[in-house]
Amino acid sequence: MKNSETVRPELPNIIGLSHICIFVDDMEKAVEYYRALLGVQPDHCLSHWKNKGFFQAGGFVEQADEGDVSIAFVNVPGTKLTLELMQYHSPKGRTEPVIFAANDVSGARHVALKVTNIEEAFAHIQAMPDTRLINETEAYRVYQISETRPSEVRFFDQAPGQTDERNDETARILSKVRYFYFIDRYGLQWEFEEGHTDIGD
């Protein structure tokens, strides 16, 4: 990580769309719902994932040790779009969806973009007016996902407890991802991530 005092703000060097996130109340049921609705192809998931780096990047800097989340990555057929279905077990948030009218100012839960200059992009977002980091304390910065074990990853075509080389590769890639979240002036939450290659693609 670069020294934040020496990093010059730069426009993010965006190299692709990573995913669009939807918060759900039951990850497994949400997978089946989107399979029936859009014909999504489930790829892999993390059940009751307790990853300190993930929660720090998500803004839960002080509560990161207590975090517990389930995440599923599903691919929308005919597109390069991946949906990230996320269910927080702890800390708990609102559990009822808010339905907005077509003309209400709002957006998706978050849109994740792949970048190659994460520290400079972080400095750029900090310098932007009408934009705020997900956690506005001095402790918030770019965080790296903590080490992830292959046994924490499950592909939807695997039997319980089964692993193969995909688990090893996905755990290796996840453990290198660095990212942060921010909110734009219209309330849309963004994630910039660096080091994410091919997961959910």
Side-chain angles (χ1 to χ4, degrees):
M1 178 172 45
K2 299 175 185 176
N3 182 332
S4 60
E5 295 176 7
T6 63
V7 174
R8 295 183 60 198
E10 292 178 8
L11 278 172
N13 183 29
I14 299 167
I15 59 171
L17 172 68
S18 177
H19 60 263
I20 293 176
C21 178
I22 302 171
F23 280 19
V24 301
D25 58 358
D26 185 308
M27 183 197 70
E28 297 285 350
K29 287 181 180 176
V31 169
E32 292 310 312
Y33 171 75
Y34 283 106
R35 196 192 312 248
L37 180 70
L38 302 175
V40 301
Q41 298 159 347
D43 189 71
H44 68 281
C45 66
L46 300 146
S47 292
H48 289 277
W49 194 38
K50 299 174 181 178
N51 189 287
K52 184 175 182 178
F54 172 85
F55 284 96
Q56 288 173 318
F60 301 102
V61 176
E62 298 299 322
Q63 303 94 353
D65 289 326
E66 303 153 24
D68 184 353
V69 69
S70 292
I71 304 172
F73 293 91
V74 300
N75 298 315
V76 180
T79 74
K80 293 190 176 198
L81 176 60
T82 296
L83 300 180
E84 177 187 47
L85 307 177
M86 189 178 296
Q87 177 188 0
Y88 271 87
H89 306 290
S90 177
K92 277 284 201 189
R94 188 184 62 241
T95 56
E96 292 298 317
V98 175
I99 308 300
F100 295 102
N103 59 346
D104 287 343
V105 175
S106 187
R109 188 58 199 172
H110 75 246
V111 176
L113 299 176
K114 301 175 186 181
V115 301
T116 60
N117 60 339
I118 195 83
E119 296 291 344
E120 293 82 2
F122 184 83
H124 173 71
I125 295 305
Q126 280 186 306
M128 287 292 297
D130 297 331
T131 301
R132 66 180 180 86
L133 296 170
I134 194 75
N135 180 316
E136 297 184 286
T137 68
E138 289 186 20
Y140 192 68
R141 56 181 172 78
V142 175
Y143 284 96
Q144 182 168 331
I145 290 179
S146 302
E147 183 178 355
T148 300
R149 296 183 306 275
S151 61
E152 294 178 282
V153 179
R154 179 177 61 86
F155 284 81
F156 281 88
D157 63 356
Q158 292 175 328
Q162 179 187 8
T163 62
D164 57 41
E165 66 279 351
R166 295 175 298 169
N167 301 73
D168 296 331
E169 181 66 5
T170 301
R172 185 189 65 75
I173 291 170
L174 276 172
S175 297
K176 292 183 177 182
V177 174
R178 300 174 66 223
Y179 64 109
F180 71 95
Y181 290 96
F182 66 95
I183 301 169
D184 71 17
R185 70 180 299 173
Y186 300 106
L188 179 58
Q189 192 177 115
W190 294 86
E191 174 190 333
F192 282 173
E193 61 183 44
E194 181 182 71
H196 188 282
T197 57
D198 299 331
I199 294 179
D201 288 349

Coordinates of all heavy atoms in Angstrom, one line a residue, residues 13-88:
N13 N -8.7 4.3 -13.2 CA -8.4 3.7 -14.5 C -9.3 2.4 -14.5 O -8.9 1.3 -14.1 CB -6.9 3.3 -14.6 CG -6.6 2.6 -15.9 OD1 -7.3 2.9 -16.9 ND2 -5.6 1.7 -16.0
I14 N -10.5 2.6 -15.1 CA -11.5 1.5 -15.1 C -11.3 0.6 -16.2 O -11.1 1.0 -17.4 CB -12.9 2.2 -15.2 CG1 -13.2 3.1 -14.0 CG2 -14.0 1.1 -15.3 CD1 -14.4 4.0 -14.1
I15 N -11.2 -0.7 -15.9 CA -11.0 -1.7 -16.9 C -12.1 -2.7 -17.1 O -12.0 -3.6 -17.9 CB -9.7 -2.5 -16.6 CG1 -9.8 -3.2 -15.2 CG2 -8.5 -1.6 -16.7 CD1 -8.6 -4.2 -15.0
G16 N -13.2 -2.5 -16.4 CA -14.4 -3.3 -16.6 C -15.4 -3.3 -15.5 O -15.1 -2.7 -14.4
L17 N -16.5 -3.8 -15.8 CA -17.6 -4.0 -14.7 C -17.3 -5.3 -14.0 O -17.1 -6.3 -14.6 CB -19.0 -4.1 -15.4 CG -20.1 -4.4 -14.5 CD1 -20.4 -3.3 -13.5 CD2 -21.4 -4.7 -15.4
S18 N -17.3 -5.2 -12.7 CA -17.2 -6.5 -11.9 C -18.6 -7.1 -11.6 O -18.8 -8.2 -12.0 CB -16.5 -6.2 -10.6 OG -16.4 -7.3 -9.8
H19 N -19.5 -6.4 -11.0 CA -20.8 -6.9 -10.7 C -21.7 -5.8 -10.2 O -21.3 -4.7 -10.0 CB -20.7 -8.0 -9.6 CG -20.1 -7.5 -8.3 ND1 -18.8 -7.6 -8.0 CD2 -20.7 -6.8 -7.3 CE1 -18.5 -7.1 -6.8 NE2 -19.7 -6.5 -6.3
I20 N -23.0 -6.1 -10.2 CA -24.0 -5.3 -9.5 C -24.5 -6.1 -8.3 O -24.8 -7.3 -8.4 CB -25.1 -4.9 -10.5 CG1 -24.6 -4.0 -11.6 CG2 -26.3 -4.3 -9.7 CD1 -25.6 -3.7 -12.7
C21 N -24.5 -5.4 -7.2 CA -24.9 -6.1 -5.9 C -26.4 -5.8 -5.6 O -26.9 -4.7 -5.7 CB -24.0 -5.6 -4.8 SG -24.4 -6.3 -3.2
I22 N -27.0 -6.9 -5.1 CA -28.4 -6.8 -4.6 C -28.4 -7.4 -3.2 O -28.0 -8.5 -3.0 CB -29.4 -7.6 -5.5 CG1 -29.3 -7.0 -7.0 CG2 -30.8 -7.5 -5.0 CD1 -30.1 -7.8 -8.0
F23 N -28.9 -6.6 -2.2 CA -29.0 -7.2 -0.9 C -30.3 -8.0 -0.8 O -31.4 -7.5 -1.2 CB -29.0 -6.1 0.2 CG -27.7 -5.5 0.5 CD1 -26.6 -5.7 -0.3 CD2 -27.5 -4.8 1.7 CE1 -25.3 -5.2 0.0 CE2 -26.2 -4.3 2.0 CZ -25.1 -4.5 1.2
V24 N -30.2 -9.2 -0.2 CA -31.4 -10.1 -0.1 C -31.5 -10.6 1.3 O -30.7 -10.4 2.2 CB -31.2 -11.3 -1.1 CG1 -31.0 -10.8 -2.5 CG2 -30.0 -12.1 -0.7
D25 N -32.7 -11.1 1.6 CA -33.0 -11.6 2.9 C -32.7 -13.1 3.1 O -32.6 -13.6 4.2 CB -34.4 -11.4 3.3 CG -35.5 -12.0 2.4 OD1 -35.0 -12.6 1.4 OD2 -36.7 -11.8 2.7
D26 N -32.4 -13.8 2.0 CA -32.1 -15.3 2.1 C -31.3 -15.6 0.8 O -32.0 -15.6 -0.3 CB -33.4 -16.1 2.2 CG -33.1 -17.6 2.4 OD1 -32.3 -18.1 1.5 OD2 -33.6 -18.2 3.3
M27 N -30.0 -15.8 0.9 CA -29.2 -16.0 -0.3 C -29.7 -17.2 -1.2 O -29.8 -17.0 -2.4 CB -27.8 -16.2 0.1 CG -26.8 -16.3 -1.1 SD -25.2 -17.0 -0.6 CE -25.6 -18.7 -0.3
E28 N -29.9 -18.3 -0.6 CA -30.3 -19.5 -1.3 C -31.6 -19.3 -2.1 O -31.8 -19.6 -3.2 CB -30.4 -20.7 -0.4 CG -29.1 -21.1 0.2 CD -28.1 -21.8 -0.7 OE1 -28.5 -22.1 -1.8 OE2 -26.9 -21.9 -0.3
K29 N -32.6 -18.7 -1.4 CA -33.9 -18.4 -2.0 C -33.8 -17.4 -3.1 O -34.4 -17.5 -4.1 CB -34.9 -18.0 -1.0 CG -35.4 -19.1 -0.1 CD -36.5 -18.6 0.9 CE -36.9 -19.7 1.8 NZ -37.9 -19.2 2.9
A30 N -32.9 -16.4 -2.9 CA -32.7 -15.4 -3.9 C -32.1 -16.0 -5.2 O -32.4 -15.6 -6.3 CB -31.8 -14.3 -3.4
V31 N -31.1 -16.9 -5.0 CA -30.6 -17.6 -6.2 C -31.7 -18.3 -7.0 O -31.7 -18.1 -8.2 CB -29.5 -18.6 -5.8 CG1 -29.1 -19.5 -6.9 CG2 -28.3 -17.9 -5.2
E32 N -32.5 -19.0 -6.3 CA -33.6 -19.7 -7.0 C -34.6 -18.7 -7.6 O -35.1 -18.9 -8.7 CB -34.4 -20.6 -6.0 CG -33.5 -21.8 -5.6 CD -32.9 -22.5 -6.8 OE1 -33.6 -22.8 -7.8 OE2 -31.7 -22.8 -6.7
Y33 N -34.9 -17.5 -7.0 CA -35.7 -16.5 -7.5 C -35.2 -15.9 -8.8 O -35.9 -15.9 -9.8 CB -35.9 -15.4 -6.5 CG -36.6 -14.2 -7.0 CD1 -38.0 -14.2 -7.2 CD2 -35.9 -13.0 -7.4 CE1 -38.7 -13.1 -7.8 CE2 -36.6 -11.9 -7.9 CZ -38.0 -11.9 -8.1 OH -38.6 -10.9 -8.6
Y34 N -33.9 -15.6 -8.8 CA -33.3 -15.0 -10.0 C -33.1 -16.1 -11.1 O -33.1 -15.8 -12.3 CB -32.0 -14.2 -9.7 CG -32.3 -12.9 -9.1 CD1 -32.2 -12.7 -7.8 CD2 -32.8 -11.9 -9.9 CE1 -32.5 -11.4 -7.2 CE2 -33.2 -10.6 -9.3 CZ -33.0 -10.4 -8.0 OH -33.3 -9.2 -7.4
R35 N -33.0 -17.3 -10.7 CA -32.9 -18.4 -11.7 C -34.3 -18.5 -12.4 O -34.3 -18.6 -13.6 CB -32.6 -19.7 -11.0 CG -32.1 -20.8 -12.0 CD -32.0 -22.2 -11.5 NE -31.4 -22.4 -10.2 CZ -30.3 -23.0 -10.0 NH1 -29.6 -23.5 -11.1 NH2 -29.8 -23.2 -8.8
A36 N -35.4 -18.4 -11.7 CA -36.7 -18.5 -12.3 C -37.0 -17.2 -13.0 O -37.7 -17.2 -14.1 CB -37.8 -18.7 -11.2
L37 N -36.6 -16.0 -12.5 CA -36.9 -14.8 -13.1 C -36.1 -14.5 -14.4 O -36.7 -14.1 -15.4 CB -36.7 -13.6 -12.1 CG -37.0 -12.2 -12.6 CD1 -38.5 -12.0 -12.8 CD2 -36.4 -11.2 -11.6
L38 N -34.8 -14.7 -14.4 CA -33.9 -14.3 -15.4 C -33.1 -15.5 -16.1 O -32.4 -15.3 -17.0 CB -32.9 -13.3 -14.9 CG -33.4 -12.0 -14.4 CD1 -32.3 -11.2 -13.8 CD2 -34.2 -11.2 -15.4
G39 N -33.3 -16.7 -15.5 CA -32.5 -17.8 -15.9 C -31.0 -17.7 -15.6 O -30.2 -18.2 -16.3
V40 N -30.7 -17.0 -14.5 CA -29.3 -16.9 -14.1 C -28.6 -18.2 -13.9 O -29.3 -19.2 -13.6 CB -29.1 -16.0 -12.8 CG1 -29.7 -14.6 -13.0 CG2 -29.7 -16.7 -11.6
Q41 N -27.3 -18.2 -14.1 CA -26.5 -19.4 -13.9 C -25.7 -19.2 -12.7 O -24.7 -18.4 -12.7 CB -25.6 -19.6 -15.2 CG -26.5 -19.8 -16.4 CD -25.7 -19.6 -17.7 OE1 -24.6 -19.0 -17.7 NE2 -26.3 -20.0 -18.8
P42 N -26.0 -19.9 -11.6 CA -25.2 -19.7 -10.4 C -23.8 -20.2 -10.6 O -23.6 -21.2 -11.2 CB -26.0 -20.6 -9.4 CG -27.4 -20.8 -9.9 CD -27.2 -20.8 -11.4
D43 N -22.9 -19.4 -10.0 CA -21.5 -19.8 -10.2 C -20.9 -20.3 -8.9 O -20.6 -21.5 -8.7 CB -20.6 -18.6 -10.7 CG -19.2 -19.0 -11.1 OD1 -19.1 -19.7 -12.1 OD2 -18.3 -18.6 -10.3
H44 N -20.7 -19.4 -7.9 CA -20.2 -19.9 -6.6 C -20.7 -19.0 -5.5 O -21.3 -17.9 -5.7 CB -18.6 -19.9 -6.6 CG -18.0 -18.5 -6.7 ND1 -17.9 -17.8 -7.9 CD2 -17.5 -17.7 -5.8 CE1 -17.3 -16.7 -7.7 NE2 -17.0 -16.6 -6.4
C45 N -20.5 -19.4 -4.2 CA -21.0 -18.7 -3.1 C -20.0 -18.8 -1.9 O -19.2 -19.7 -1.9 CB -22.4 -19.1 -2.7 SG -22.5 -20.8 -2.1
L46 N -20.2 -17.9 -1.0 CA -19.5 -17.9 0.3 C -20.6 -17.9 1.4 O -21.4 -16.9 1.5 CB -18.6 -16.7 0.4 CG -17.5 -16.6 -0.7 CD1 -17.3 -15.2 -1.0 CD2 -16.3 -17.3 -0.2
S47 N -20.8 -18.9 2.2 CA -21.8 -19.0 3.2 C -21.3 -18.7 4.5 O -20.2 -19.2 4.9 CB -22.5 -20.4 3.2 OG -23.2 -20.6 2.1
H48 N -21.9 -17.7 5.2 CA -21.5 -17.3 6.6 C -20.0 -17.0 6.6 O -19.2 -17.5 7.4 CB -21.9 -18.3 7.6 CG -23.4 -18.4 7.9 ND1 -24.0 -17.5 8.7 CD2 -24.3 -19.2 7.3 CE1 -25.3 -17.8 8.7 NE2 -25.5 -18.8 7.9
W49 N -19.6 -16.1 5.7 CA -18.2 -15.7 5.5 C -17.9 -14.7 6.5 O -18.5 -13.6 6.6 CB -18.1 -15.2 4.1 CG -16.7 -15.0 3.5 CD1 -15.6 -15.9 3.7 CD2 -16.2 -14.0 2.7 NE1 -14.5 -15.4 3.1 CE2 -14.9 -14.3 2.4 CE3 -16.8 -12.9 2.1 CZ2 -14.1 -13.4 1.6 CZ3 -16.1 -12.1 1.3 CH2 -14.7 -12.3 1.0
K50 N -16.9 -14.9 7.3 CA -16.5 -14.0 8.4 C -15.1 -13.5 8.1 O -14.1 -14.0 8.6 CB -16.5 -14.8 9.7 CG -17.9 -15.3 10.0 CD -18.0 -16.1 11.3 CE -19.4 -16.6 11.5 NZ -19.6 -17.4 12.6
N51 N -15.0 -12.6 7.1 CA -13.7 -12.1 6.6 C -13.5 -10.7 7.0 O -14.2 -9.7 6.6 CB -13.8 -12.2 5.1 CG -12.4 -12.0 4.5 OD1 -12.0 -10.8 4.4 ND2 -11.8 -13.0 4.0
K52 N -12.5 -10.5 7.9 CA -12.3 -9.1 8.5 C -12.1 -8.1 7.4 O -12.6 -7.0 7.5 CB -11.1 -9.2 9.5 CG -10.9 -7.9 10.2 CD -9.8 -8.0 11.2 CE -9.6 -6.7 12.0 NZ -8.6 -6.8 13.0
G53 N -11.2 -8.3 6.5 CA -10.9 -7.4 5.4 C -12.1 -7.0 4.6 O -12.3 -5.8 4.3
F54 N -13.0 -7.9 4.4 CA -14.2 -7.6 3.6 C -15.1 -6.6 4.4 O -15.6 -5.7 3.8 CB -15.0 -8.9 3.4 CG -16.4 -8.7 2.9 CD1 -16.6 -8.6 1.5 CD2 -17.5 -8.6 3.7 CE1 -17.9 -8.4 1.0 CE2 -18.8 -8.4 3.2 CZ -19.0 -8.3 1.8
F55 N -15.3 -6.9 5.7 CA -16.1 -6.0 6.5 C -15.5 -4.6 6.7 O -16.2 -3.6 6.8 CB -16.5 -6.6 7.8 CG -17.6 -7.7 7.6 CD1 -17.2 -9.0 7.5 CD2 -18.9 -7.3 7.5 CE1 -18.2 -10.0 7.3 CE2 -19.9 -8.3 7.3 CZ -19.5 -9.6 7.2
Q56 N -14.1 -4.6 6.8 CA -13.5 -3.3 6.9 C -13.7 -2.4 5.7 O -14.1 -1.2 5.8 CB -12.0 -3.5 7.2 CG -11.6 -4.0 8.6 CD -10.2 -4.3 8.7 OE1 -9.6 -4.9 7.8 NE2 -9.6 -3.9 9.8
A57 N -13.5 -3.0 4.5 CA -13.8 -2.3 3.3 C -15.2 -1.9 3.1 O -15.5 -0.8 2.5 CB -13.3 -3.2 2.1
G58 N -16.1 -2.7 3.7 CA -17.6 -2.4 3.7 C -18.0 -1.3 4.6 O -19.1 -0.9 4.7
G59 N -17.0 -0.7 5.4 CA -17.3 0.4 6.2 C -17.5 0.0 7.7 O -17.6 0.9 8.6
F60 N -17.4 -1.3 8.0 CA -17.6 -1.7 9.4 C -16.2 -1.9 10.0 O -15.9 -3.0 10.4 CB -18.4 -3.1 9.4 CG -19.8 -3.0 8.8 CD1 -20.0 -3.4 7.5 CD2 -20.8 -2.3 9.5 CE1 -21.3 -3.3 6.9 CE2 -22.1 -2.2 8.9 CZ -22.3 -2.7 7.6
V61 N -15.5 -0.8 10.1 CA -14.1 -0.8 10.6 C -14.1 -1.3 12.0 O -13.3 -2.2 12.3 CB -13.5 0.5 10.4 CG1 -12.1 0.5 11.0 CG2 -13.4 1.0 8.9
E62 N -14.9 -0.8 12.9 CA -14.9 -1.2 14.3 C -15.6 -2.5 14.6 O -15.3 -3.2 15.6 CB -15.5 -0.1 15.1 CG -14.8 1.3 15.1 CD -13.4 1.2 15.6 OE1 -13.1 0.5 16.6 OE2 -12.5 1.9 15.0
Q63 N -16.5 -2.9 13.7 CA -17.3 -4.2 13.9 C -16.8 -5.3 13.1 O -17.5 -6.3 13.0 CB -18.8 -3.9 13.7 CG -19.4 -2.8 14.5 CD -19.4 -1.5 13.7 OE1 -18.8 -1.3 12.7 NE2 -20.0 -0.5 14.3
A64 N -15.6 -5.2 12.4 CA -15.2 -6.2 11.4 C -15.1 -7.6 12.0 O -15.3 -8.6 11.3 CB -13.9 -5.7 10.8
D65 N -14.7 -7.7 13.2 CA -14.5 -9.0 13.8 C -15.8 -9.7 14.0 O -15.8 -11.0 14.2 CB -13.7 -8.9 15.1 CG -12.3 -8.6 14.9 OD1 -11.7 -9.0 13.9 OD2 -11.7 -7.8 15.7
E66 N -16.9 -9.0 14.1 CA -18.2 -9.6 14.3 C -19.0 -9.9 13.0 O -20.1 -10.4 13.1 CB -19.1 -8.7 15.2 CG -18.4 -8.3 16.5 CD -18.8 -7.0 17.1 OE1 -19.9 -6.5 16.8 OE2 -18.0 -6.4 17.9
G67 N -18.5 -9.5 11.9 CA -19.2 -9.6 10.6 C -19.4 -11.0 10.2 O -18.6 -11.9 10.4
D68 N -20.6 -11.2 9.5 CA -21.0 -12.6 9.0 C -21.9 -12.3 7.8 O -23.0 -11.7 8.0 CB -21.7 -13.3 10.1 CG -22.1 -14.7 9.7 OD1 -22.0 -15.1 8.6 OD2 -22.6 -15.5 10.6
V69 N -21.5 -12.8 6.7 CA -22.3 -12.5 5.4 C -22.3 -13.8 4.6 O -21.4 -14.6 4.6 CB -21.7 -11.3 4.7 CG1 -20.3 -11.7 4.1 CG2 -22.6 -10.8 3.6
S70 N -23.4 -13.9 3.8 CA -23.4 -15.0 2.7 C -23.6 -14.2 1.4 O -24.3 -13.3 1.3 CB -24.6 -15.9 3.0 OG -24.4 -16.7 4.1
I71 N -22.8 -14.7 0.4 CA -22.7 -14.1 -0.9 C -22.8 -15.1 -2.0 O -22.2 -16.2 -1.9 CB -21.4 -13.3 -1.1 CG1 -21.3 -12.2 0.0 CG2 -21.4 -12.6 -2.5 CD1 -19.9 -11.5 0.0
A72 N -23.6 -14.9 -3.0 CA -23.7 -15.8 -4.2 C -23.4 -14.9 -5.4 O -23.9 -13.8 -5.5 CB -25.0 -16.4 -4.3
F73 N -22.6 -15.5 -6.3 CA -22.4 -14.8 -7.6 C -23.1 -15.6 -8.7 O -22.9 -16.8 -8.8 CB -20.9 -14.8 -7.9 CG -20.1 -13.9 -7.0 CD1 -19.6 -14.4 -5.8 CD2 -20.0 -12.6 -7.3 CE1 -18.9 -13.6 -5.0 CE2 -19.3 -11.7 -6.4 CZ -18.7 -12.2 -5.3
V74 N -24.0 -14.9 -9.4 CA -24.8 -15.6 -10.5 C -24.6 -14.8 -11.8 O -24.5 -13.6 -11.7 CB -26.3 -15.7 -10.1 CG1 -26.4 -16.6 -8.8 CG2 -26.9 -14.4 -9.9
N75 N -24.5 -15.5 -12.9 CA -24.3 -14.8 -14.2 C -25.6 -14.8 -15.0 O -26.4 -15.8 -15.0 CB -23.3 -15.6 -15.0 CG -21.9 -15.6 -14.2 OD1 -21.5 -14.6 -13.7 ND2 -21.3 -16.8 -14.2
V76 N -25.9 -13.6 -15.6 CA -27.1 -13.4 -16.4 C -26.8 -13.9 -17.8 O -25.8 -13.4 -18.4 CB -27.5 -11.9 -16.4 CG1 -28.8 -11.7 -17.2 CG2 -27.7 -11.4 -14.9
P77 N -27.5 -14.9 -18.3 CA -27.2 -15.5 -19.6 C -27.3 -14.4 -20.7 O -28.1 -13.5 -20.7 CB -28.2 -16.6 -19.8 CG -29.3 -16.2 -18.8 CD -28.7 -15.5 -17.7
G78 N -26.5 -14.6 -21.7 CA -26.5 -13.7 -22.9 C -25.8 -12.4 -22.6 O -25.8 -11.5 -23.5
T79 N -25.2 -12.2 -21.4 CA -24.6 -10.9 -21.1 C -23.3 -11.2 -20.4 O -23.0 -12.4 -20.1 CB -25.4 -10.1 -20.1 OG1 -25.4 -10.7 -18.8 CG2 -26.9 -10.0 -20.5
K80 N -22.5 -10.2 -20.1 CA -21.3 -10.4 -19.2 C -21.6 -9.8 -17.8 O -20.7 -9.5 -17.1 CB -20.1 -9.6 -19.8 CG -19.7 -10.3 -21.1 CD -18.4 -9.7 -21.6 CE -18.0 -10.4 -22.9 NZ -16.6 -10.3 -23.2
L81 N -22.9 -9.8 -17.5 CA -23.3 -9.2 -16.2 C -23.4 -10.3 -15.1 O -24.0 -11.3 -15.3 CB -24.7 -8.6 -16.3 CG -25.3 -8.0 -15.1 CD1 -24.5 -6.9 -14.5 CD2 -26.7 -7.5 -15.3
T82 N -22.7 -10.0 -14.0 CA -22.7 -10.8 -12.8 C -23.5 -10.1 -11.7 O -23.3 -8.9 -11.5 CB -21.3 -11.1 -12.3 OG1 -20.6 -11.9 -13.3 CG2 -21.4 -11.9 -11.0
L83 N -24.5 -10.8 -11.1 CA -25.2 -10.3 -9.9 C -24.5 -10.9 -8.7 O -24.2 -12.1 -8.6 CB -26.6 -10.6 -9.9 CG -27.5 -10.1 -11.1 CD1 -28.9 -10.6 -11.0 CD2 -27.4 -8.6 -11.3
E84 N -24.3 -10.0 -7.7 CA -23.8 -10.4 -6.4 C -24.9 -10.3 -5.4 O -25.4 -9.3 -5.2 CB -22.6 -9.5 -6.0 CG -22.1 -9.9 -4.6 CD -21.0 -8.9 -4.1 OE1 -21.3 -7.6 -4.2 OE2 -20.0 -9.3 -3.6
L85 N -25.4 -11.5 -5.0 CA -26.5 -11.5 -4.1 C -26.0 -11.6 -2.6 O -25.3 -12.6 -2.3 CB -27.5 -12.7 -4.4 CG -27.9 -12.8 -5.8 CD1 -28.8 -14.1 -6.0 CD2 -28.7 -11.5 -6.2
M86 N -26.3 -10.6 -1.8 CA -25.6 -10.5 -0.5 C -26.6 -10.5 0.6 O -27.5 -9.7 0.6 CB -24.7 -9.3 -0.5 CG -23.8 -9.2 0.7 SD -22.8 -7.7 0.7 CE -21.8 -8.0 -0.8
Q87 N -26.4 -11.4 1.6 CA -27.2 -11.5 2.8 C -26.4 -11.3 4.0 O -25.5 -12.1 4.3 CB -27.9 -12.8 2.9 CG -28.8 -13.0 4.1 CD -29.3 -14.4 4.3 OE1 -29.0 -15.3 3.5 NE2 -30.0 -14.6 5.4
Y88 N -26.6 -10.2 4.7 CA -25.9 -9.9 6.0 C -26.6 -10.6 7.1 O -27.8 -10.5 7.3 CB -25.9 -8.4 6.3 CG -24.7 -7.7 5.7 CD1 -24.8 -7.2 4.4 CD2 -23.5 -7.5 6.4 CE1 -23.7 -6.5 3.8 CE2 -22.5 -6.8 5.8 CZ -22.6 -6.3 4.5 OH -21.5 -5.7 4.0

